[in-house]
């Protein structure tokens, strides 16, 4: 739709402009002209005019010559035409036809488009950004306008309300206010430094991952953060994944790379001792730190970083064991969703494409169909909501992408869960089966808690920074009303510390009211006010975060709350 | 002494050959001649002859001309003479004088030497190794002979007994037998991969460090494994420590280095929020993974690696707080020594030298003397055994090197504990003092559990692989006598698992005797045999590792043993 705005600026060139997950965008080449937010209103006005006219939209196929003529003065469209010609495909165009039946605007596009401009409902241009032509920083910087479209005005209003709420819950803002993490120019972009309060959250997530994996009979392993080039040549990360990896370091005439994935190291650990069918399924878990060379322009708070600490694991199993193992992995996801109150989630089964076999995908058509079917059946049996996507698998097998929605309805991509029927063979991983023959296991890659960077970014928005007590950096604030209540306050403080609780005392140098507000600003789950009554009865009065009513309980009852940790219980 | 063996091989050139921590060595250039252990006996025979002759040893100072003449045919000694001449120092020689008063052998050496060869007691040449001339791999490879010397034969015998025991307890051998860790050629030298059993030990050490530091009021932080070049230029690691660091990776026109130390990252975390005197002392702890480019020839099992995971912390405090903080650090060391039954230890106070000021050491003579005195007093007050060493400090302040001895009497260098009065200022770290003025804190660097690589290497030798139950990879082996005891065996197994214990069942496919031996070979602390009596009484019979007598206890009593973890108790 936005393409028609070109009519306002006849001299402006247009780049690409697809629909995206949360709306649409269009790239413009405004030449030397300075562009500001002012332009939003102008463009929106023109768009509304076009929508009101209800112009028809028609798809056409043109010859190369016709196509070149139509965009003689537009280098960007010509480049797109070059690509289509190189692939030997048809050059498809969309014409917007005005009331008199004449082409009002023509664009090269694979489609699909609406039937007429009147079908567009409510829309809004939301923001402006710089973007390299086709995402390549060697190309010219264009101006990208983002927008959203909804069926009606109410949709826009709901969206705007969500965005206002999201701004309040922005993990970067909360991270600063609650002193959770920081970035430093001399350390480097995308490399978070966890301050004490943030590191406490990480500790709890790590404990949650480890204790849950323990219940699911995983074995922990540990691997270094680097390996030789030859390891990644064997795994296939080089050269296919090279762009996402940090450049090598050369030592003793060998190239070493920072690891972008833990799997090759885990395969080596599998291979370190002989295995028999009795050892399978074998589940290796590592809270492993990887490094990925994300483009500096795409770095975003904790959501997109270069240093990623993953709740990672690899499950080696036989073909027969796959379904049960895969189901257990999904159960673990569901357990975490339930724990964090994630009510809306969706899984996407990403499959191979016939055309990609031997190129993007391992050339094993039968294994692809079989394993995709295995994954589909496992999802169906668990009654998990999922969609299927063609041509989006990993190169070694089908994968599940997991989407979750925060409490305010924003979507996050959490993690993937992959079936790998190819790489174990590349590493010559084997087990001796019951019949005495050497066989190759399949491998499930999974990381349900994602990276702790992204998970904490999500949880900060989800809980608006007020994390549940079991993972909060400080669980309790002790507020003695006056000096004479200090003794009991200190006694309670020491008891909480002895129970390994995270507690701080807000001393009497400020008024009680101010301290209660402080504890709320710091989003501390429990405020423990200690006055005459508490000292006399040796009892506690607890105010829960965000609530007005106090709760009374004994010190021992409160210690139980402090000690609570939601370790998965086995049936 | 060994230098005199040259008389056996007039054509052989000699490199350097000092006394070392556990004996002495001498480098030889045998030309193309093949050298085997056979030569040990020949050399020892000649050495005994020289000792029996009781030749006098005299120190002399020669002119450069005399010195050059004496070693006209020896390029190695000439190179040493070059150095002495370049420094403008005296060229000191030692002559061994024979019975007729003639020089029997002459060597260029700074000394000191014995007064006569008869003073040498018992000695033994122990091993042979290749060594580059002056440790530089660009130089020629010489042949290095190692030896040990003692006052008498008994000393040699004790030493040999210790070495035989050490060979049995060799952490590389135990690491393989108990499947604790491995190295892989495609991953890289000096980069251990922790197999599940080894990773369990690491988990326990990490928990020990974290819980102990929690009791001592440390705050945990987390930092990435890389940083920009400019951070290390600021800290002074570049260029002074560059040789020990991995080479840089270049991204976005910036150089990034793998961290060899955690301190610069911690300084950045300190600096991320404003600090007042009320925040001090501030103790940042990280179980942090560093990378050091150790020479490939010096890599040795877990004792010298390139990937080091440190129980690291930095304590920021005022000058007044230093003594108490330092004492608490030493208390933590002593707590760990006591926990691991380390009975013999020694600290070495490494100081500056006047000559090194402004070169190897920060040019603050008064601060050096003051801080060395502070450290000395703290050690004296705690009654900790220590020696003092001139000219061995860190560049930013005095340090304590900690030596410990294993159960069989072998010495290990554990860790250092350093006072840093210089680097916080380089990072502009400040706190606002009571008087409202900005001041610079001092910093204590400490890592009492060293790296887990080295600590586990030490503990494997110290305990001969039979780790205490709280840190053993598997705490208990369950041995049902026959099939009919399986139900109760499984019940006990599940109870131990629910208590987060590490347990395995050795099933009835082997004889009981064989399984008891298996549990012993795997050095599992508790073997739990379950037969008729145990099933009937719902009691347990426990055999402790390495003991012949069984102990009876209830399941609950046993679960308490399984759950025991030695967290430091506050007074």
């Amino acid at each position: 739709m936005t393409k028609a705005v070109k009519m306002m600026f006849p001299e402006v060139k247009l780049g690409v402009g697809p629909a995206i997950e949360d709306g649409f965008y269009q790239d413009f080449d405004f030449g030397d002209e300075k562009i500001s937010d002012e332009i939003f209103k102008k463009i929106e006005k023109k768009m509304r005019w076009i929508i009101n006219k209800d112009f028809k939209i028609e798809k056409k196929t043109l010859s190369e010559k016709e196509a070149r003529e139509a965009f003689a003065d537009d280098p960007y469209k010509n480049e797109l035409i070059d690509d289509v010609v190189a692939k030997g495909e048809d050059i498809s165009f969309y014409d917007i036809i005005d009331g008199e039946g004449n082409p009002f605007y023509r664009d090269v596009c694979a489609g699909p488009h609406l039937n007429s401009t009147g079908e567009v409902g409510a829309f809004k241009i939301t923001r402006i950004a710089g973007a390299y032509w086709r995402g390549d920083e060697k190309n010219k910087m264009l101006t990208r306008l983002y927008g959203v479209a909804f069926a009606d005005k109410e949709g826009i209003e709901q969206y705007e309300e969500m965005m206002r709420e999201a701004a309040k819950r922005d993990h970067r803002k909360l991270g600063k206010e609650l002193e959770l993490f920081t970035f430093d120019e001399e350390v480097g972009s995308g490399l978070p430094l966890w301050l004490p309060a943030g590191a406490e959250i990480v500790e709890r997530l790590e404990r949650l991952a480890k204790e849950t994996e323990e219940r699911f009979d995983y074995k922990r392993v540990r691997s270094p953060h680097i390996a030789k080039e030859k390891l990644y040549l064997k795994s296939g990360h080089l050269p296919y994944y090279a762009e996402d990896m940090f450049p090598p370091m050369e030592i003793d005439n060998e190239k070493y790379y920072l690891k972008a994935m833990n799997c090759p190291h885990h395969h080596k650990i599998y291979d370190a001792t002989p295995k028999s069918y009795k050892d399978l399924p074998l589940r290796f878990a590592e809270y492993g730190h990887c490094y990925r060379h994300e483009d500096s322009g795409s770095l975003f708070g904790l959501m997109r970083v270069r240093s990623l600490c993953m709740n990672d694991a690899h499950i080696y199993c036989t073909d027969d064991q796959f379904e049960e193992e895969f189901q257990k992995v999904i159960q673990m996801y569901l357990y975490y969703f339930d724990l964090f109150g994630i009510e809306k989630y969706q899984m996407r089964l990403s499959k191979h494409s016939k055309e990609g076999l031997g190129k993007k995908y391992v050339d094993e058509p039968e294994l692809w169909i079989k394993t995709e079917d295995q994954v589909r059946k496992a999802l169906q049996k668990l009654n998990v909501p999922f969609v299927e996507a063609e041509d989006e698998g990993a190169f070694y097998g089908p994968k599940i992408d997991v989407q979750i929605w925060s409490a305010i309805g924003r979507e996050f991509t959490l993690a993937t869960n992959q079936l790998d029927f190819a790489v174990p063979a590349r590493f010559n991983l084997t087990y001796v089966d019951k019949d005495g023959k050497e066989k190759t296991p399949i491998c499930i890659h999974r990381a349900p808690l994602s990276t702790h960077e992204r998970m904490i970014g999500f949880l900060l928005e989800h809980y608006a920074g007020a994390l549940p007590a079991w993972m909060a950096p400080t669980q309790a604030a002790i507020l003695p009303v006056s000096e004479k209540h200090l003794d009991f306050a200190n006694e309670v403080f020491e008891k909480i510390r002895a129970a390994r609780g995270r507690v701080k005392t807000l001393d009497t140098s400020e008024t009680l009211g101010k301290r209660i507000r402080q504890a709320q600003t710091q989003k501390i789950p429990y405020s423990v006010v200690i006055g005459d009554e508490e000292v006399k009865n040796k009892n506690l009065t607890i105010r829960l975060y965000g609530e007005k009513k106090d709760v009374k309980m004994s010190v021992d009852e409160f210690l139980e709350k402090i000690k609570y940790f939601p370790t998965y219980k086995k049936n």
Side-chain angles (χ1 to χ4, degrees), chain A:
Chain A
M1 275 306 309
T2 50
K3 290 162 190 168
V5 299
K6 192 184 169 188
M7 306 309 293
M8 288 174 61
F9 316 99
E11 75 289 2
V12 169
K13 308 281 182 286
L14 289 173
V16 282
I20 52 175
E21 241 170 44
D22 53 352
F24 58 84
Y25 70 74
Q26 177 64 52
D27 293 340
F28 298 89
D29 182 355
F30 287 104
D32 293 333
E33 199 181 339
K34 286 261 176 209
I35 300 302
S36 72
D37 292 5
E38 282 298 296
I39 208 165
F40 291 10
K41 288 211 181 80
K42 281 192 195 174
I43 295 178
E44 283 177 349
K45 200 176 161 192
K46 186 79 178 186
M47 287 169 77
R48 266 191 296 273
W49 179 82
I50 297 168
I51 291 167
N52 286 336
K53 290 283 182 193
D54 195 19
F55 291 156
K56 275 184 85 175
I57 302 173
E58 287 175 1
K59 185 174 185 175
K60 284 173 187 162
T61 304
L62 299 187
S63 69
E64 186 185 345
K65 189 162 170 270
E66 287 168 310
R68 299 280 186 205
E69 274 169 17
F71 288 95
D73 63 341
D74 190 329
Y76 303 113
K77 297 297 174 195
N78 264 287
E79 222 181 292
L80 298 179
I81 294 166
D82 291 347
D83 284 2
V84 183
V85 170
K87 282 191 207 160
E89 292 169 4
D90 287 341
I91 306 170
S92 77
F93 274 78
Y94 281 88
D95 280 346
I96 301 181
I97 311 292
D98 71 14
E100 278 85 53
N102 301 317
F104 164 80
Y105 178 67
R106 160 169 286 182
D107 198 12
V108 58
C109 186
H113 273 39
L114 300 174
N115 295 312
S116 75
T117 61
E119 287 180 9
V120 175
F123 69 91
K124 191 178 167 69
I125 298 181
T126 52
R127 62 195 172 96
I128 194 168
Y132 294 109
W133 166 236
R134 308 188 95 177
D136 184 340
E137 57 189 281
K138 284 176 210 122
N139 289 339
K140 187 171 176 185
M141 172 78 82
L142 304 181
T143 301
R144 176 170 294 178
L145 296 189
Y146 287 88
V148 288
F150 291 89
D152 50 32
K153 239 184 146 178
E154 208 178 302
I156 293 271
E157 277 159 17
Q158 278 174 5
Y159 171 80
E160 287 184 332
E161 173 57 26
M162 183 181 82
M163 293 314 286
R164 272 192 298 275
E165 192 54 37
K168 272 190 250 167
R169 293 168 177 237
D170 187 325
H171 78 277
R172 296 165 303 171
K173 183 172 154 280
L174 288 168
K176 205 161 195 164
E177 284 167 11
L178 302 175
E179 297 187 355
L180 301 180
F181 57 89
T182 191
F183 292 93
D184 187 279
E185 198 278 319
E186 290 181 327
V187 172
S189 308
L191 301 171
L193 293 158
W194 290 94
L195 309 187
E200 286 293 350
I201 305 175
V202 176
E203 287 288 321
R204 293 326 122 190
L205 268 190
E206 183 171 335
R207 181 176 161 196
L208 178 70
K210 288 182 175 178
E211 293 192 4
T212 305
E213 282 153 7
E214 190 180 299
R215 295 287 170 186
F216 278 85
D217 297 321
Y218 284 62
K219 293 180 194 296
R220 303 215 71 77
V221 297
R222 300 225 180 192
S223 61
H225 303 89
I226 57 175
K228 286 184 187 170
E229 180 179 41
K230 59 178 88 165
L231 186 73
Y232 297 112
L233 288 170
K234 184 177 261 186
S235 69
H237 288 106
L238 289 178
Y240 302 111
Y241 198 75
E243 270 196 22
D244 292 306
M245 290 175 73
F246 273 69
M249 298 164 277
E250 201 162 323
I251 313 163
D252 307 338
N253 299 316
E254 296 256 22
K255 282 182 183 154
Y256 284 80
Y257 282 85
L258 271 172
K259 69 177 170 189
M261 310 273 188
N262 298 302
C263 27
H265 284 88
H266 290 190
H267 297 336
K268 283 297 188 182
I269 292 173
Y270 179 100
D271 202 31
T273 56
K275 300 283 184 292
S276 95
Y277 68 95
K278 287 183 191 168
D279 296 310
L280 305 187
L282 183 58
R283 310 173 192 94
F284 283 161
E286 179 169 18
Y287 208 76
H289 215 122
C290 297
Y291 287 83
R292 294 189 188 160
H293 181 207
E294 299 285 351
D295 198 68
S296 64
S298 69
L299 298 173
F300 178 70
L302 294 176
M303 300 311 290
R304 196 169 286 271
V305 289
R306 287 178 169 171
S307 139
L308 309 90
C309 194
M310 270 193 273
N311 153 240
D312 208 359
H314 296 92
I315 301 168
Y316 302 87
C317 62
T318 68
D319 205 45
D320 290 345
Q321 292 165 338
F322 169 77
E323 191 173 307
E324 189 182 336
E325 286 307 309
F326 190 80
Q327 286 194 5
K328 279 191 201 159
V329 169
I330 301 290
Q331 270 165 15
M332 199 189 279
Y333 276 86
L334 299 182
Y335 161 67
Y336 288 135
F337 295 166
D338 184 53
L339 176 63
F340 292 121
I342 296 167
E343 289 169 3
K344 189 179 170 193
Y345 57 87
Q346 185 170 59
M347 305 211 175
R348 187 169 64 197
L349 166 52
S350 297
K351 302 181 291 185
H352 77 300
S353 69
K354 267 190 194 166
E355 299 72 35
L357 285 173
K359 293 172 215 155
K360 289 162 70 176
Y361 306 114
V362 180
D363 196 7
E364 298 271 12
E366 280 163 36
L367 268 176
W368 276 102
I369 288 162
K370 181 181 148 193
T371 53
E372 285 167 8
D373 202 49
Q374 282 179 313
V375 174
R376 185 182 300 108
K377 277 191 186 138
L379 289 169
Q380 284 165 345
K381 277 195 191 162
L382 286 165
N383 218 1
V384 169
F386 74 102
V387 292
E388 302 198 11
E390 301 290 330
D391 198 17
E392 292 194 4
F395 79 89
Y396 44 66
K399 68 175 185 177
I400 301 281
D401 287 303
V402 182
Q403 249 72 35
I404 55 174
W405 279 261
S406 74
I408 58 165
R410 278 224 302 172
E411 186 184 352
F412 291 78
T413 299
L414 185 65
T416 63
N417 174 12
Q418 307 171 352
L419 189 163
D420 177 351
F421 59 75
V423 180
R426 295 174 73 125
F427 276 78
N428 295 317
L429 304 186
T430 57
Y431 64 95
V432 177
D433 206 353
K434 282 179 195 163
D435 57 11
K437 285 187 186 146
E438 288 213 331
K439 294 184 183 162
T440 303
I442 54 177
C443 176
I444 301 172
H445 305 237
R446 42 109 284 174
L449 286 176
S450 186
T451 66
H452 64 227
E453 290 82 11
R454 177 167 288 206
M455 195 64 188
I456 291 174
F458 168 80
L459 291 175
L460 287 174
E461 169 170 318
H462 187 62
Y463 289 116
L467 299 172
W470 64 266
M471 73 183 311
T474 302
Q475 297 173 288
I478 307 230
L479 299 89
V481 174
S482 72
E483 295 280 331
K484 66 180 173 167
H485 309 110
L486 274 181
D487 281 353
F488 185 52
N490 288 338
E491 192 185 317
V492 174
F493 178 91
E494 288 303 335
K495 279 188 176 165
I496 297 175
R497 289 277 295 153
R500 304 201 57 211
R502 304 177 295 285
V503 56
K504 63 166 109 173
T505 298
L506 302 183
D507 68 29
T508 55
S509 56
E510 305 276 4
T511 67
L512 184 62
K514 195 164 177 187
R515 284 182 283 149
I516 288 176
R517 282 193 298 281
Q518 268 176 15
Q520 296 287 305
T521 309
Q522 292 171 27
K523 300 181 194 284
I524 297 172
Y526 305 120
S527 292
V528 186
V529 178
I530 291 181
D532 286 346
E533 200 194 308
E534 286 76 22
V535 169
K536 195 181 143 207
N537 301 326
K538 298 280 172 194
N539 252 16
L540 299 178
T541 303
I542 314 284
R543 176 163 293 190
L544 301 179
Y545 174 79
E547 294 188 17
K548 292 263 152 109
K549 239 184 88 188
D550 295 335
V551 190
K552 287 190 188 299
M553 63 183 82
S554 71
V555 175
D556 284 346
E557 280 170 320
F558 186 57
L559 291 181
E560 285 310 306
K561 281 192 174 296
I562 288 289
K563 281 193 265 185
Y564 171 75
F565 194 84
T567 299
Y568 185 87
K569 300 282 182 292
K570 255 192 168 173
N571 303 347

